[in-house]
């Protein structure tokens, strides 16, 4: 006889059952079956995991024992424990303490010994699938065999699992079922459906007498309160067993003998010619809805599974639906097996061991709810793919039903798995293999490298999953774009793994589910770490290898006239050249002058990389233009820095330079005018007839000098310096290249708008250019006046010199003819003075009228700095006294300021 060690685990377990109960092998078949289920299950307490309730029970027990001080101490210690994160399972600890505090001398409702346990009626496992008798030799006890052998009864995530749905496995058998009594319905706690069915589904025993339970054993199910009444069937009436068989086929979407799909009504219907009582007809119609729901889901999966354009996310969605249908089929296979056993044993429909429509209605309740959820999800996801499909699944999980929410979360973990794989490859390797355009980052292969940062990569907003925030999506886009920019534009060969350490990707749907459950924690941390590391490395490369900040400062010094000594010396050198017509200029001559100005000023100490990019540019020539109108400095940008200094930005720099160059030229002209007045003032004292004209010139020149100085102060300090300071602070604090680009664009937009170069300030700019033209015209008028005056002064001095020489020789100083000729010439000159005076009056009047219009436009501007500029330009209210509109505008402005205060 073989020893016990040589026996199989099944035989050993059966022997153990016999020894505990003291019965023969034939009498312990049901106990053996239950023991197998106990070994293969995971029991857990049926009470609700509520820490508050357990603590209240402990305090009540202490109060019953008249230990009020201990109850208060326990309450204080529990409060302190809640404020600390030392224990993760406080409920379990409290429940253990409560269990240990029970008096062992008191009678317990639990099973006292194993013999009593196995002698009781056997409850069913917490599943909706019936479990019929199996011989001990055919049962598998190892983990692999058990999972295979019990696959028809145990579901991990499918429809057969009717307890609370979890991702970790089926609902465990409640402890309350171990007492051998049905769960109390008056307690108010909702038992899992599988637990309820365990009391209503009897075991289908074989005809072997060895497996029949003894007569003395308690019944398997609770005794019925009343005997079931069997009504006689009418002639030709279909039996319930036939309907059950038809229903099982309908569950799979197959037409039965009496229940068929109606294409007209799009539902399963029982033939009206079939003789059937109303209750069975209604019950069958309710059950047939599962077939319609199954067909809806199956039709979607069959159509989409073959569609390659549906993408990886869509295929994952179909795979999730297939898994749910697989669990559903597993349940149907068990029901078919139960029906087959009944057919083999010849069981009557009316016995307690048979499958009936009412039992099917109860057993299929939860599968029907799950199929309804899947069908509604299929309808909601029609026409969606990629991230949009994941958003649809996620939004459908926002429900208060825990089972439905768990089902949708499980499907979401499968659907989001490809999206997370796309995301990790993008943020850690910069690779984008999105064949079916499912990811929310899009790539345009036709964009060249110089526009990679701006145009090649973009967000598909419709494909951003709803469980991602827009900030997370933008960071994801920026991370991968930075990696590709480093490789393709900066030609940096540093492996991405050295820029930011790669995190563990979502290798399985379970990993994806864990990650999705903590989107604001672990997932956000991964995105932030990759974002900061990649962006910091990119900015370091641009500043270290491509001198980004130095180029930015060069733009300020040269194109925005920040290098004062260089600009002044350059104007002095260019004055002879630029005074010529624009058509006579040659760029190489101007380039030589530029190099001379660089070598003669502090600009020579700049980086050679900066200076070699500085160049001269001649604008398009219009008829009548001089060199001043077409001259411009240029700065060549290429490579990675052209991402910041784009063509649009360089066009803004060119417009700003032309405006500032013209304003600087006005200052240069007024300086020459003032020099001429100071140098010629003493010389022309001998010509008193010019005193009025010269005084008029001094007054007009002073007005122009004041205007230009105020404009220069406004442009230089209030516009350029303030904007530059803001830009530099933002650049120093920038976390990524987009921040620098955005700050630079804001800087240029501010300069363009506040220097009157935008479209809304065209009228102001045209008035300002008219004022500049009047200054140039005044310079030519004054130069003409001084030429005439100095020429007349020279003739008078020559006449006096000849007169003195003749008198020294003893002759008459002048003859009558010479004196008459001199008087005639002086008279002709004096006749030109009123003409000069009138020309200056016209020039002054025209200049002042333009300034008045300019001030009125400034007062009506929405920019506060421009309104303050009008106050400085008319500080003594000279123009206000002449212009009524200006007085009205000033008054309205004061009222607005007072109302704001």
């Amino acid at each position: 006889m073989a020893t016990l060690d040589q026996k199989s685990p099944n035989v050993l377990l059966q022997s153990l059952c016999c020894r505990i109960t003291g019965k023969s092998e034939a009498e312990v078949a049901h106990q053996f079956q239950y023991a197998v289920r106990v070994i293969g299950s995971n029991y857990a307490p049926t009470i609700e995991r509520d820490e508050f309730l357990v603590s209240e029970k402990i305090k009540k027990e202490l109060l019953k024992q008249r230990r009020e001080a201990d109850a208060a101490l326990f309450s204080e210690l529990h409060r302190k424990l809640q404020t600390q994160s030392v224990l993760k399972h406080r409920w379990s600890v409290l429940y253990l303490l409560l269990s240990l505090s029970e008096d062992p001398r008191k009678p317990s409702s639990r099973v006292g010994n194993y013999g009593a346990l196995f002698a009781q009626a056997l409850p069913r496992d917490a599943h909706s699938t019936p479990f019929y008798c199996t011989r001990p030799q055919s049962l598998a006890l190892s983990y692999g065999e058990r999972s295979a052998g019990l696959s028809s009864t145990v579901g991990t995530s499918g429809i057969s699992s009717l307890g609370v749905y979890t991702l970790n496995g089926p609902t465990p058998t409640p402890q309350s079922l171990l007492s051998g009594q049905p769960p109390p319905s008056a307690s108010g706690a909702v038992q899992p459906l599988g637990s309820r069915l365990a009391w209503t589904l009897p075991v289908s025993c074989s005809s072997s007498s060895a497996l029949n339970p003894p007569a003395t054993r308690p019944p398997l199910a609770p005794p019925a309160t009343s005997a079931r009444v069997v009504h006689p069937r009418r002639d030709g009436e279909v039996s319930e067993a036939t309907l059950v068989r038809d229903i099982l086929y309908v569950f799979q979407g197959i037409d039965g003998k009496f229940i068929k799909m109606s294409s007209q009504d799009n539902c399963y219907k029982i033939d009206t010619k079939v003789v059937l009582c109303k209750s069975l007809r209604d019950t069958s119609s309710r059950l047939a809805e599962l077939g319609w729901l199954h067909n809806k889901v199956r039709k979607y999966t069959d159509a989409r599974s073959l569609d390659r354009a549906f993408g990886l996310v869509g295929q994952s969605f179909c795979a999730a639906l297939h898994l749910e249908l697989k669990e559903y089929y597993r349940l149907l296979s068990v029901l078919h097996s139960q029906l087959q056993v009944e057919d083999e044993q010849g069981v009557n429909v009316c016995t307690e061991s048979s499958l009936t429509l009412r039992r099917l209605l109860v057993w299929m309740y939860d599968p029907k709810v799950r199929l309804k959820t899947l069908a509604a999800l299929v309808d909601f996801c029609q026409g969606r793919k990629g991230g949009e499909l994941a958003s649809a699944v996620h939004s459908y999980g926002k429900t208060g039903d825990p089972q439905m929410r768990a089902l949708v979360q499980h499907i979401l973990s499968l659907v989001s798995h490809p999206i997370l794989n796309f995301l990790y490859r993008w943020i850690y390797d910069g690779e984008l293999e999105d064949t079916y355009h499912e990811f929310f980052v899009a790539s345009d292969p036709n964009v060249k490298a110089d526009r990679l940062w701006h145009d090649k990569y973009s967000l598909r907003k419709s494909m951003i999953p709803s469980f991602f925030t827009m900030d997370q999506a933008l960071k994801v886009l920026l991370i991968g774009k930075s990696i590709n920019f480093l490789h393709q534009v900066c030609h940096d060969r540093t492996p991405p793994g050295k820029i930011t350490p790669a995190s563990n990707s979502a290798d399985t749907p379970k990993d994806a589910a864990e990650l999705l459950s903590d989107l604001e924690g672990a997932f956000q941390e991964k995105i932030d770490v990759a974002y900061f590391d990649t962006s910091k490395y990119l900015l370091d490369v641009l500043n270290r290898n491509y001198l980004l900040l130095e180029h930015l400062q060069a733009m300020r010094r040269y194109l925005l006239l920040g290098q004062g000594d260089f600009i002044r010396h350059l104007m002095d050198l260019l004055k002879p050249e630029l005074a010529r017509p624009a058509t006579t200029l040659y760029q190489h001559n101007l380039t030589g002058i530029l190099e001379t100005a660089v070598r003669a000023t502090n600009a020579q100490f700049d980086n050679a990389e900066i200076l070699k990019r500085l160049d001269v540019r001649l604008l398009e020539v219009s008829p009548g233009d001089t060199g001043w109108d077409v001259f411009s400095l240029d700065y060549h940008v290429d490579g990675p820095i052209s991402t910041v200094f784009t063509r649009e930005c360089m066009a803004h720099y060119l417009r700003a330079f032309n405006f500032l160059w013209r304003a600087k030229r006005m200052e240069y002209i007024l300086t020459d005018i003032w020099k001429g007045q100071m140098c010629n003032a003493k010389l022309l004292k001998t010509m008193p007839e010019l005193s009025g004209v010269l005084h008029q010139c001094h007054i007009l020149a002073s007005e122009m000098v004041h205007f230009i100085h105020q404009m220069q102060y406004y442009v230089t300090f209030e516009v350029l310096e303030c904007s530059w300071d803001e830009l530099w602070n933002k650049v120093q604090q920038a976390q990524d290249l987009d921040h620098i680009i955005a700050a630079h664009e804001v800087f240029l937009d501010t300069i363009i708008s506040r220097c009157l170069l935008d479209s809304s300030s065209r009228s102001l700019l045209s008035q300002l250019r008219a004022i500049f033209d009047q200054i140039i015209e005044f310079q030519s008028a004054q130069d003409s006046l001084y030429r005439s005056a100095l020429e007349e002064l020279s003739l008078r001095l020559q006449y006096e010199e000849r007169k003195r020489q003749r008198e020294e020789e003893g002759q008459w100083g002048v003859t009558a003819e010479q004196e008459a000729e001199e008087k005639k010439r002086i008279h002709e000159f004096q006749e030109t003075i009123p003409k000069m005076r009138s020309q200056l009056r016209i020039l002054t009047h025209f200049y002042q009228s333009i300034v008045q219009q300019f001030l009125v436009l400034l007062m009506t501007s929405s920019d506060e700095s421009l309104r303050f500029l009008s106050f400085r330009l008319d500080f003594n209210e000279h123009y206000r006294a002449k212009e009524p509109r200006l007085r009205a505008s000033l008054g309205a402005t004061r009222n607005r300021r007072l109302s704001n205060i």
Side-chain angles (χ1 to χ4, degrees):
M1 181 175 179
T3 62
L4 290 177
D5 294 337
Q6 296 173 344
K7 293 185 178 181
S8 66
N10 296 342
V11 177
L12 292 175
L13 184 61
Q14 191 175 29
S15 301
L16 179 63
C17 294
C18 293
R19 180 163 300 188
I20 291 175
T21 58
K23 300 178 181 179
S24 64
E25 293 184 358
E27 295 174 336
V28 297
H30 295 85
Q31 286 83 353
F32 170 74
Q33 173 189 330
Y34 180 69
V36 171
R37 274 189 250 151
V38 169
I39 294 176
S41 62
N42 180 21
Y43 287 104
T46 58
I47 66 174
E48 186 178 0
R49 291 178 174 265
D50 192 330
E51 180 183 351
F52 175 76
L53 293 179
V54 177
S55 64
E56 288 298 314
K57 286 183 180 179
I58 293 176
K59 284 190 281 187
K60 287 181 180 179
E61 288 293 331
L62 293 174
L63 291 175
K64 285 181 181 179
Q65 301 174 13
R66 300 183 181 276
R67 299 167 59 185
E68 291 82 0
D70 291 342
L73 179 61
F74 171 78
S75 179
E76 178 65 19
L77 293 175
H78 180 243
R79 185 187 63 79
K80 291 182 179 180
L81 182 62
Q82 286 179 321
T83 60
Q84 300 179 359
S85 59
V86 178
L87 293 178
K88 295 183 179 178
H89 305 286
R90 292 194 299 271
W91 175 87
S92 302
V93 174
L94 292 176
Y95 183 72
L96 174 63
L97 294 176
L98 180 63
S99 302
L100 294 175
S101 67
E102 294 180 355
D103 191 352
R105 291 172 296 181
K106 294 183 178 180
S108 176
S109 61
R110 297 174 183 170
V111 178
N113 54 66
Y114 292 105
L117 169 66
F118 282 99
Q120 293 179 34
L122 300 179
R124 296 298 169 200
D125 199 4
H127 303 289
S128 65
T129 54
F131 192 93
Y132 53 89
C133 272
T134 310
R135 296 182 180 276
Q137 289 79 6
S138 64
L139 290 176
L141 295 181
S142 65
Y143 178 78
E145 295 171 347
R146 213 166 45 234
S147 62
L150 302 180
S151 61
S152 62
T153 60
V154 180
T156 59
S157 62
I159 298 176
S160 62
S161 182
L162 298 180
V164 177
Y165 180 90
T166 61
L167 291 175
N168 298 325
T171 305
T173 305
Q175 290 281 5
S176 61
L177 295 182
L178 296 179
S179 61
Q181 298 298 328
S185 59
S187 64
V190 179
Q191 296 290 338
L193 182 57
S195 303
R196 299 199 302 270
L197 294 181
W199 297 99
T200 60
L201 179 63
V203 177
S204 301
C205 302
S206 64
S207 58
S208 173
S209 60
L211 294 179
N212 288 330
T216 59
R217 185 175 59 83
L220 203 63
T225 57
S226 61
R228 184 177 176 184
V229 180
V230 181
H231 298 283
R233 294 203 309 268
R234 292 171 290 178
D235 293 339
E237 183 178 357
V238 178
S239 66
E240 185 173 358
T242 306
L243 286 178
V244 168
R245 191 175 303 278
D246 261 23
I247 285 295
L248 291 182
Y249 283 113
V250 169
F251 284 166
Q252 305 171 62
I254 303 172
D255 286 352
K257 185 176 181 181
F258 304 104
I259 306 176
K260 300 180 183 298
M261 169 61 75
S262 172
S263 58
Q264 181 179 359
D265 298 329
N266 191 24
C267 64
Y268 281 97
K269 280 189 172 183
I270 303 176
D271 192 352
T272 55
K273 298 179 181 179
V274 175
V275 180
L276 195 63
C277 66
K278 186 176 185 303
S279 62
L280 292 181
R281 185 181 294 273
D282 292 343
T283 305
S284 300
S285 298
R286 291 171 62 185
L287 287 170
E289 185 181 354
L290 273 85
W292 183 87
L293 295 172
H294 165 270
N295 289 350
K296 189 177 187 64
V297 178
R298 183 62 183 267
K299 182 180 178 182
Y300 179 85
T301 57
D302 291 346
R304 287 297 190 176
S305 297
L306 302 177
D307 185 7
R308 290 184 174 271
F310 199 32
L312 296 178
V313 178
Q315 296 300 327
S316 298
F317 180 56
C318 291
L321 296 178
H322 275 300
L323 286 177
E324 297 299 328
L325 290 178
K326 180 181 178 182
E327 296 297 332
Y328 176 70
Y329 295 147
R330 186 176 296 174
L331 169 62
L332 296 185
S333 67
V334 174
L335 294 176
H336 274 287
S337 300
Q338 181 78 7
L339 189 61
Q340 184 178 359
V341 170
E342 293 177 5
D343 291 342
E344 292 175 355
Q345 298 174 358
V347 178
N348 189 8
V349 172
C350 297
T351 65
E352 294 294 336
S353 303
S354 62
L355 286 175
T356 64
L357 292 179
R358 289 185 178 276
R359 285 176 179 166
L360 284 179
L361 195 63
V362 175
W363 295 339
M364 302 305 291
Y365 174 77
D366 275 4
K368 183 177 180 180
V369 171
R370 296 174 74 85
L371 277 180
K372 278 186 176 180
T373 303
L374 296 179
L377 197 58
V378 164
D379 277 341
F380 192 60
C381 295
Q382 287 287 352
R384 305 174 190 265
K385 61 180 288 188
E388 189 178 7
L389 175 62
S391 298
V393 175
H394 176 258
S395 63
Y396 212 81
K398 297 176 182 178
T399 174
D401 186 350
Q403 294 188 25
M404 184 184 297
R405 186 169 61 249
L407 171 64
V408 175
Q409 287 175 353
H410 173 66
I411 295 176
L412 180 62
S413 66
L414 296 174
V415 169
S416 60
H417 184 225
I419 296 179
L420 292 177
N421 285 337
F422 286 144
L423 186 143
Y424 284 132
R425 292 196 66 181
W426 172 249
I427 66 175
Y428 292 125
D429 300 324
E431 298 178 1
L432 186 62
E433 295 183 2
D434 186 14
T435 308
Y436 304 106
H437 308 296
E438 302 172 272
F439 194 42
F440 56 84
V441 175
S443 174
D444 186 357
N446 298 322
V447 176
K448 296 182 180 179
D450 58 338
R451 296 293 301 176
L452 181 145
W453 187 271
H454 298 282
D455 300 332
K456 186 165 186 177
Y457 301 106
S458 59
L459 283 179
R460 293 191 188 100
K461 292 187 178 181
S462 62
M463 291 296 172
I464 299 177
S466 56
F467 45 85
F468 287 173
T469 64
M470 181 57 70
D471 181 63
Q472 289 174 337
L474 290 173
K475 284 185 177 180
V476 168
L477 170 67
L478 194 63
I479 294 168
K481 187 165 64 172
S482 299
I483 295 175
N484 284 280
F485 185 80
L486 283 167
H487 292 170
Q488 300 180 34
V489 181
C490 298
H491 305 292
D492 184 85
R493 300 305 177 191
T494 305
K498 291 187 177 180
I499 299 176
T500 178
S503 175
N504 294 330
S505 61
D507 293 330
T508 63
K510 183 178 180 182
D511 298 333
E514 293 176 356
L515 199 62
L516 291 175
S517 64
D518 194 16
L519 287 172
E520 296 181 357
F523 180 76
Q524 181 68 41
E525 183 180 356
K526 290 181 180 181
I527 298 297
D528 289 342
V529 169
Y531 165 74
F532 287 121
D533 291 346
T534 308
S535 299
K536 183 177 181 298
Y537 183 80
L538 174 60
L539 293 182
D540 289 343
V541 169
L542 289 176
N543 292 328
R544 182 180 64 252
N545 299 343
Y546 296 97
L547 308 175
L548 175 61
L549 297 183
E550 285 79 355
H551 287 301
L552 197 60
Q553 291 174 331
M555 296 287 183
R556 171 69 180 97
R557 288 199 301 269
Y558 297 115
L559 295 188
L560 299 181
L561 311 189
Q563 190 79 20
D565 60 331
F566 167 76
I567 297 299
R568 179 68 190 188
H569 189 61
L570 181 63
M571 277 194 166
D572 290 337
L573 296 178
L574 288 174
K575 182 178 178 181
E577 287 287 332
L578 299 184
R580 296 161 49 190
T583 54
T584 63
L585 296 180
Y586 295 98
Q587 187 167 352
H588 61 273
N589 294 336
L590 300 177
T591 303
I593 296 174
L594 174 64
E595 294 174 355
T596 303
V598 168
R599 289 194 299 268
T601 59
N602 288 329
Q604 63 181 315
F605 301 110
D606 276 349
N607 194 321
E609 179 69 19
I610 302 294
L611 294 178
K612 75 178 185 179
R613 295 176 181 270
L614 193 60
D615 198 2
V616 170
R617 180 176 182 177
L618 294 178
L619 305 180
E620 186 177 354
V621 178
S622 300
D625 284 347
T626 63
W628 292 103
D629 299 318
V630 298
F631 174 81
S632 176
L633 287 181
D634 196 10
Y635 196 87
H636 299 294
V637 292
D638 54 13
I641 62 171
S642 64
T643 301
V644 178
F645 304 106
T646 60
R647 293 180 181 178
E648 294 80 8
C649 292
M650 296 310 297
H652 287 334
Y653 274 115
L654 184 60
R655 293 179 62 192
F657 174 82
N658 290 332
F659 173 79
L660 297 173
W661 182 257
R662 189 179 295 247
K664 199 72 175 178
R665 182 192 173 197
M666 296 303 108
E667 183 183 358
Y668 192 78
I669 288 174
L670 289 174
T671 302
D672 289 344
I673 290 175
W674 181 82
K675 285 180 180 179
Q677 290 176 351
M678 294 301 102
C679 293
N680 296 321
K682 292 182 178 180
L683 294 177
L684 299 178
K685 281 184 178 180
T686 56
M687 302 176 67
E689 65 270 20
L690 291 176
S691 60
V693 178
L694 295 179
H695 178 71
Q696 198 172 352
C697 286
H698 287 188
I699 294 297
L700 182 56
S702 297
E703 289 186 26
M704 292 180 174
V705 167
H706 168 72
F707 182 88
I708 293 300
H709 281 178
Q710 294 301 321
M711 286 298 301
Q712 284 281 45
Y713 172 84
Y714 165 75
V715 171
T716 303
F717 294 100
E718 294 191 12
V719 178
L720 294 179
E721 286 300 326
C722 294
S723 301
W724 173 256
D725 184 65
E726 292 179 4
L727 170 65
W728 192 250
N729 290 334
K730 290 180 180 178
V731 168
Q732 295 295 329
Q733 300 170 5
Q735 296 179 346
D736 56 58
L737 184 57
D738 268 347
H739 289 170
I740 294 180
I741 293 175
H744 184 243
E745 290 178 351
V746 170
F747 168 71
L748 287 179
D749 290 340
T750 303
I751 291 177
I752 292 298
S753 62
R754 299 183 70 180
C755 287
L756 315 178
L757 298 175
D758 58 341
S759 57
S760 61
S761 303
R762 287 179 180 176
S763 56
L764 278 168
L765 183 61
S766 62
Q767 293 294 324
L768 186 59
R769 287 179 175 174
I771 293 173
F772 289 168
D773 292 339
Q774 292 303 308
I775 293 175
I776 296 173
E777 189 173 345
F778 172 65
Q779 181 193 27
S780 62
Q782 180 175 283
D783 289 346
S784 176
L785 171 63
Y786 280 132
R787 279 197 303 270
S788 300
L790 291 175
E791 184 180 355
E792 178 62 24
L793 179 61
S794 177
L795 292 175
R796 290 184 184 184
L797 291 177
Q798 291 176 7
Y799 173 77
E800 291 296 332
E801 181 65 22
R802 287 197 304 269
K803 181 179 178 181
R804 186 181 61 79
Q805 289 178 358
R806 289 176 65 85
E807 288 178 351
E808 289 178 357
E809 292 176 359
Q811 300 178 2
W812 292 102
V814 290
T815 62
E817 294 179 0
Q818 290 176 343
E819 187 175 2
E821 185 178 348
E822 181 68 16
K823 288 181 179 181
K824 181 181 178 182
R825 186 180 52 77
I826 292 174
H827 181 70
E828 290 176 354
F829 174 74
Q830 290 176 348
E831 286 181 350
T832 61
I833 292 176
K835 185 178 179 181
M836 295 178 185
R837 187 180 289 113
S838 63
Q839 183 180 0
L840 284 175
R841 282 202 190 102
I842 294 172
L843 188 61
T844 302
H845 176 75
F846 198 53
Y847 169 78
Q848 291 182 349
S849 64
I850 297 175
V851 171
Q852 286 175 1
Q853 295 176 15
F854 183 72
L855 291 176
V856 170
L857 292 174
L858 287 179
M859 290 303 302
T860 58
S861 173
S862 59
D863 192 343
E864 189 177 17
S865 61
L866 292 178
R867 295 199 298 270
F868 286 146
L869 174 62
S870 68
F871 299 150
R872 291 200 300 270
L873 292 176
D874 190 26
F875 73 99
N876 59 357
E877 299 185 352
H878 170 73
Y879 295 100
R880 180 189 175 197
K882 296 182 178 181
E883 179 58 55
R885 290 181 301 169
L886 194 57
R887 289 199 296 272
S889 299
L890 285 168
T893 304
R894 287 198 183 97
N895 291 335
R896 284 199 300 269
R897 291 175 62 191
L898 290 174
S899 62
N900 292 334
I901 293 174

